[in-house]
Every structure is written in C-alpha cells, then in structure tokens.
Amino acid sequence: MKKEEDFMREAVRLSRESVKNGGGPFGAVIVKDGEIIASASNSVTKDNDPTAHAEVSAIRKAAKKLKTFDLSGCEIYTSCEPCPMCFGAVYWARLDKLYFANTKQDAKAIGFDDSFIYEEIELPYDKRKIPNIQLLRDEALKAFEDWKNKEDKTEY
C-alpha cells in the first residue's frame, strides 16, 4: 500500500513537470482509500484561467469522477500550502485531511505572495483595493428567502 510520502512525491513531481510545461510550480493529488483518484498541476497561464490552481483543478476532477460535491473520505496532497482560494475549496469540498510540502512563506519567496488577500478580507469594503460596492440587497435577499423556505433543497 502506498504511503503518505508517495502521494506527496507525486504532487511534487506534478509541480516540477508543470514548470517544465509552462505552468506554475504547484501540483496536487486527491486520494481515496489509498489510491489517487485525481491529480492536477497549476495551469493558470496555460489555460488563461486564474482559478486553475492545482488544488481547485484536482478537486473538480475528483468531484466529477465520484459524482459528488462532498469529498468526505478523501485527502489532498499539495506541493505547497494552499492559497486562500484553494484553502477555502479544500474546506468546501469537505476533504478529510490536507497535506502540504512547501509553505506560504516559501511561495512568497519566489513571488507568489497571497498575504494581501488575507489583509484585504479584514478591511472595510470602502478601504479595499478593488472597490466593493453593495447593490440591490433587498432584491437579492428574496433568493435567500426562497432557499430558506424550499423544502426539497439539496444542502451543501
């Protein structure tokens, strides 16, 4: 049976392969019952998709393969501590464990600094670098009310 280090080595291998192929230096694998069910590397620049991080792409592949948005029972191995988007995706996907190799400080040292996002989240709306402007809340709340009252909804 494969060990945790084997899965991490695959994530690291994917990250190095990604660099050779024009992507960012990040790789991720998702494991269920001791087997890799999905893997991906960063393809932001190759796909012109700012969300095509290794973790998000691997989560999408795993969810599609398992035909569920709930990845309980799975673990993710990623070559670097996840950025805020990927960290959130790991929790939304309900993965059981997160293993990582490089740290966010290691990523910052080579130009991948996500600290500004954490700082932005803490700022009031009117102090953020990208203007955050609230519009039509009363109208939008109707959809939330519809959801709240819907009896046959699929919770997630």
Side-chain angles (χ1 to χ4, degrees):
M1 186 160 153
K2 290 186 178 179
K3 296 191 287 189
E4 294 155 347
E5 290 83 1
D6 296 321
F7 300 130
M8 185 58 75
R9 282 189 183 98
E10 178 60 10
V12 170
R13 186 192 70 73
L14 288 166
S15 71
R16 297 194 72 203
E17 184 178 290
S18 181
V19 172
K20 290 177 191 170
N21 294 326
F26 306 98
V29 298
I30 296 183
V31 174
K32 183 175 177 70
D33 299 326
E35 295 295 325
I36 294 174
I37 61 162
S39 63
S41 59
N42 178 288
S43 62
V44 169
T45 56
K46 288 172 60 178
D47 294 338
N48 293 314
D49 180 353
T51 68
H53 291 203
E55 298 92 335
V56 169
S57 296
I59 288 168
R60 288 174 179 162
K61 288 179 179 180
K64 187 173 183 175
K65 181 173 185 168
L66 297 177
K67 297 179 174 57
T68 181
F69 55 81
D70 183 345
L71 298 180
S72 298
C74 298
E75 302 170 338
I76 189 166
Y77 294 78
T78 181
S79 64
C80 186
E81 186 176 0
C83 74
M85 175 182 69
C86 294
F87 187 75
V90 165
Y91 277 80
W92 285 121
R94 296 183 180 96
L95 291 157
D96 288 358
K97 285 185 185 173
L98 162 66
Y99 296 89
F100 65 93
N102 293 320
T103 67
K104 60 186 174 185
Q105 291 80 14
D106 296 328
K108 181 178 181 176
I110 61 162
F112 293 93
D113 184 7
D114 298 321
S115 59
F116 77 97
I117 296 173
Y118 293 109
E119 293 163 6
E120 283 283 302
I121 290 169
E122 296 301 318
L123 293 174
Y125 299 141
D126 64 338
K127 302 290 185 208
R128 294 178 179 170
K129 287 181 179 60
I130 297 175
N132 286 223
I133 302 157
Q134 187 174 24
L135 293 174
L136 302 177
R137 180 172 181 253
D138 291 339
E139 290 180 35
L141 281 173
K142 291 182 173 101
F144 282 13
E145 191 68 26
D146 294 343
W147 175 261
K148 181 179 170 187
N149 294 327
K150 186 172 175 60
E151 305 230 352
D152 62 342
K153 62 187 166 208
T154 301
E155 301 270 357
Y156 62 95

